Amino acid sequence: MGLIVIDPGQAATVQDGGRAGYRHWGVPRGGVFDTFSAGLANALVGNPSGSAVVEFTLRGGEYQAEGPLALALAGAPMPARVIEADSSIRLLEPPTSFVLKPGERLRLGVATQGARTYLAVRGGWQTPLVLGSRSFETYLRPRDLLPAEPGSIPVHRPREPAWEISSDRPFRVLPGPDAALASHVLEALSSRLFHVGSSSNRMGLRLEGEPIELASDPSRLSTPVAPGAIQLAGRELIVLGVASGTMGGYPHIAQVVTADLDRLGQLAPGDVLRFAWITLDEARRIDRESRERRRAIFSRIAMATRVG
Amino acid sequence: MTTSAQNDGAPIDPSGSVPRLSPLGDRAFLARFPSEHEAAAWAAAVTAMAWRGVVDVVPAYRDVAVFADPDVVDLEGLELHLRALVPSVGQAAIGRRLVIPVVYDGPDLEVIAGQLNVTLDEVVACHTGPVYDVFAIGFLPGFPYAGWLRPPLAGLPRRRSPRTRVPAGSVAVAGRQTGVYPGESPGGWHILGRTPLRLIDMAQGYFPIRAGDQIQFTAITADEYEARLHERL
């Protein structure tokens, strides 16, 4: 019982809240790139925020139900339709919960904005659990089966939050541990525009812009890093993504604040982005407000879903 | 912009007990020490405190990162605790010593011997001689960063063009460091040989090498390699 992959789109993986607490073994946390959108999809089917979802990148693909499934879609807007057994078509308007009957297909197009869309199922996808998480970087392939419990759910479309385009606002940053090495890089970071490079993925985003010069230090030792770290790799800046390794050898110039990490996951190649410095106190306040806001939204949705 | 400058201003205590602590983003801290030994002792002390809300303590050479969950712990309060923490003498746990068997037939062995103007046997002797300290586990799950290499093997720059595919078990060197690739990965280090042993088993949560352990390499034959293939370290 579950969902069969017909066409896995551009890069679809199963992700959840990731593996917390294994960095000292070199195991990154990983997990969904846009935790808010994934949490929204989960809330719509009554799941806890960290349940396993499918993460689609830029193009969703096509999937067929093996049984009745209670599903929800949220995240980057993608054309979404259900192909019914008699080939008639039912349009979906994400974010939304919906049901696939046995044999029905979900067909997802190309994201019109953003980069990542999430598909939740009531109870979570029951793919293998390793070190407390179902997150894997392996792309789904045609004929893969995503196991899930059968279920049913009324269609529910939350009125908020409105979809926000990631590159509309600057990404807020704190100085990194190596900021003192590179005052001219700090200046460049907040005064220039950068383009997201085409080779960007869950490991990291390349920032294309004017080259930046910094004398390299070959004796430099690797040091712990975290998603959102902005490093100077050669003459180019990179921002580490959610699936980046636990250690890095390049100078760590700046760090994207936690509250803006989800938006990193919604940047597509070619998007323009800007950075703005804030203080640690502001970053912690924004982080707190962001966590409170998401808790409030998810609990409202959970209530509404229960009422039907 | 002023935050890290304030925190970076703390002087390095000559006894080495007080770290230079700076924020690593808004939910973590990075403590920097004058030596690997002090960093390891402090990491062990933080881990031993088992503070609620401390998600991960990651030692790496002279640095230690401490990751925290702001839903569980007040980060300003945690920072005060971290700044006040003084490891007791001998707190860095005595690590285990692990022996890693290696067939020295790696694709870079001959080139390195040529560059250094030594024989293959001399390269092998230079690599198997020392007992290495493991300073960090990272980049890949279970990859040990160990050192230090001795001359003439020490000091090779990374390969100009990294390999896109380094096989699991590859034993490699770069700069003053040596390491073993637990899984297949891209990599820029010079490959001296391969171990038959499995260094990790993710599904079983098996990670035998920890920062603070010591590793030593021993040369084996290709037949011994076949006999021990997939055995756990």
Side-chain angles (χ1 to χ4, degrees), chain A residues 65-104:
Chain A
E66 286 288 280
L69 296 176
L71 301 165
L73 272 171
M78 255 177 204
R81 55 190 57 188
V82 174
I83 318 293
E84 298 178 352
D86 64 356
S87 300
S88 59
I89 284 172
R90 195 162 86 232
L91 292 180
L92 300 175
E93 293 177 77
T96 185
S97 54
F98 63 101
V99 168
L100 279 186
K101 293 185 201 137
E104 288 187 337

Side-chain angles (χ1 to χ4, degrees), chain A residues 19-29 129-131 136 174-180 186 218 220-226 245-247 252 255-259 277-281 283-284 287 291 295, chain B residues 1-4 7-8 22-27 29-30 32 36 55-65 67 70-71 75-76 79 136-143 145 148 158 177 202-203 205 207 210:
Chain A
R19 297 179 178 86
Y22 296 105
R23 283 182 214 260
H24 57 288
W25 288 351
V27 180
R29 178 163 182 157
L129 193 65
V130 169
L131 292 182
F136 283 94
L174 293 169
D178 299 317
L186 304 190
R220 217 191 131 75
L221 296 169
S222 294
T223 184
V225 291
T246 55
M247 305 226 334
H252 183 171
Q255 177 75 35
V256 175
V257 302
T258 304
W277 298 101
I278 63 171
T279 65
L280 182 59
D281 286 346
R284 291 214 174 118
D287 184 24
R291 282 179 280 131
R295 267 196 289 268
Chain B
M1 263 311 305
T2 55
T3 318
S4 104
N7 291 327
D8 271 344
S22 62
L24 184 66
D26 46 25
R27 293 188 185 179
F29 302 92
L30 187 69
R32 296 192 144 167
E36 286 83 2
V55 180
D56 226 329
V57 180
V58 190
Y61 298 102
R62 296 172 193 171
D63 296 342
V64 183
F67 292 86
D71 277 331
L75 296 175
E76 275 117 44
E79 179 173 343
I137 302 290
F139 138 68
L140 288 179
F143 182 100
Y145 285 89
W148 306 108
R158 285 175 173 73
Q177 305 168 87
M202 282 272 278
F207 289 80
R210 310 288 168 89

Side-chain angles (χ1 to χ4, degrees), chain A residues 125-175:
Chain A
W125 300 105
Q126 302 297 308
T127 48
L129 193 65
V130 169
L131 292 182
S133 168
R134 302 182 200 277
S135 286
F136 283 94
E137 297 308 315
T138 324
Y139 295 156
L140 297 183
R141 290 170 306 182
R143 292 188 293 283
D144 281 351
L145 170 71
L146 298 165
E149 294 298 316
S152 182
I153 196 160
V155 170
H156 177 69
R157 300 192 58 238
R159 282 203 194 86
E160 54 158 5
W163 171 257
E164 184 202 13
I165 298 173
S166 260
S167 47
D168 275 1
R169 282 191 292 130
F171 283 80
R172 292 161 290 190
V173 284
L174 293 169

Side-chain angles (χ1 to χ4, degrees), chain A:
Chain A
M1 191 75 75
L3 194 68
I4 301 275
V5 179
I6 308 293
D7 159 19
Q10 176 155 332
T13 58
V14 174
Q15 301 292 340
D16 58 14
R19 297 179 178 86
Y22 296 105
R23 283 182 214 260
H24 57 288
W25 288 351
V27 180
R29 178 163 182 157
V32 292
F33 208 151
D34 177 355
T35 61
F36 181 81
S37 295
L40 184 59
N42 273 321
L44 283 166
V45 288
N47 290 345
S49 282
S51 302
V53 293
V54 179
E55 181 178 279
F56 304 113
T57 310
L58 298 171
R59 186 175 77 81
E62 191 162 327
Y63 304 83
Q64 180 169 313
E66 286 288 280
L69 296 176
L71 301 165
L73 272 171
M78 255 177 204
R81 55 190 57 188
V82 174
I83 318 293
E84 298 178 352
D86 64 356
S87 300
S88 59
I89 284 172
R90 195 162 86 232
L91 292 180
L92 300 175
E93 293 177 77
T96 185
S97 54
F98 63 101
V99 168
L100 279 186
K101 293 185 201 137
E104 288 187 337
R105 288 187 176 194
L106 171 66
R107 186 178 291 166
L108 298 164
V110 173
T112 51
Q113 289 168 353
R116 291 183 172 83
T117 306
Y118 294 90
L119 179 67
V121 66
R122 175 165 253 171
W125 300 105
Q126 302 297 308
T127 48
L129 193 65
V130 169
L131 292 182
S133 168
R134 302 182 200 277
S135 286
F136 283 94
E137 297 308 315
T138 324
Y139 295 156
L140 297 183
R141 290 170 306 182
R143 292 188 293 283
D144 281 351
L145 170 71
L146 298 165
E149 294 298 316
S152 182
I153 196 160
V155 170
H156 177 69
R157 300 192 58 238
R159 282 203 194 86
E160 54 158 5
W163 171 257
E164 184 202 13
I165 298 173
S166 260
S167 47
D168 275 1
R169 282 191 292 130
F171 283 80
R172 292 161 290 190
V173 284
L174 293 169
D178 299 317
L181 292 178
S183 53
H184 65 293
V185 182
L186 304 190
E187 175 71 32
L189 194 65
S190 54
S191 60
R192 294 190 192 169
L193 293 177
F194 297 90
H195 290 264
V196 177
S198 57
S199 58
S200 303
N201 55 28
R202 286 174 45 84
M203 298 280 289
L205 291 89
R206 288 183 184 279
L207 302 185
E208 292 170 352
E210 280 174 63
I212 293 172
E213 301 294 340
L214 180 70
S216 70
D217 171 7
S219 66
R220 217 191 131 75
L221 296 169
S222 294
T223 184
V225 291
I230 301 181
Q231 298 179 311
L232 189 59
R235 302 163 75 197
E236 188 181 56
L237 291 171
I238 54 173
V239 188
L240 296 187
V242 71
S244 59
T246 55
M247 305 226 334
Y250 296 119
H252 183 171
I253 306 299
Q255 177 75 35
V256 175
V257 302
T258 304
D260 284 350
L261 292 179
D262 285 351
R263 288 165 58 215
L264 274 184
Q266 293 296 355
L267 289 171
D271 281 353
V272 174
L273 75 163
R274 293 170 290 148
F275 295 98
W277 298 101
I278 63 171
T279 65
L280 182 59
D281 286 346
E282 286 175 278
R284 291 214 174 118
R285 179 177 53 77
I286 293 166
D287 184 24
R288 190 163 52 243
E289 288 167 0
S290 153
R291 282 179 280 131
E292 283 164 5
R293 174 175 166 268
R294 85 171 49 195
R295 267 196 289 268
I297 291 172
F298 294 166
S299 69
R300 265 203 300 281
I301 290 171
M303 293 288 288
T305 310
R306 209 166 295 144
V307 174

Side-chain angles (χ1 to χ4, degrees), chain B residues 21-97:
Chain B
L21 196 71
S22 62
L24 184 66
D26 46 25
R27 293 188 185 179
F29 302 92
L30 187 69
R32 296 192 144 167
F33 294 84
S35 74
E36 286 83 2
H37 175 76
E38 288 152 280
W42 192 81
V46 176
T47 305
M49 295 306 290
W51 282 308
R52 276 186 77 242
V54 171
V55 180
D56 226 329
V57 180
V58 190
Y61 298 102
R62 296 172 193 171
D63 296 342
V64 183
V66 178
F67 292 86
D69 179 352
D71 277 331
V72 180
V73 64
D74 171 65
L75 296 175
E76 275 117 44
L78 176 62
E79 179 173 343
L80 294 178
H81 286 308
L82 292 173
R83 286 187 184 280
L85 184 67
V86 178
S88 50
V89 176
Q91 181 133 26
I94 306 294
R96 300 195 300 155
R97 183 179 294 188

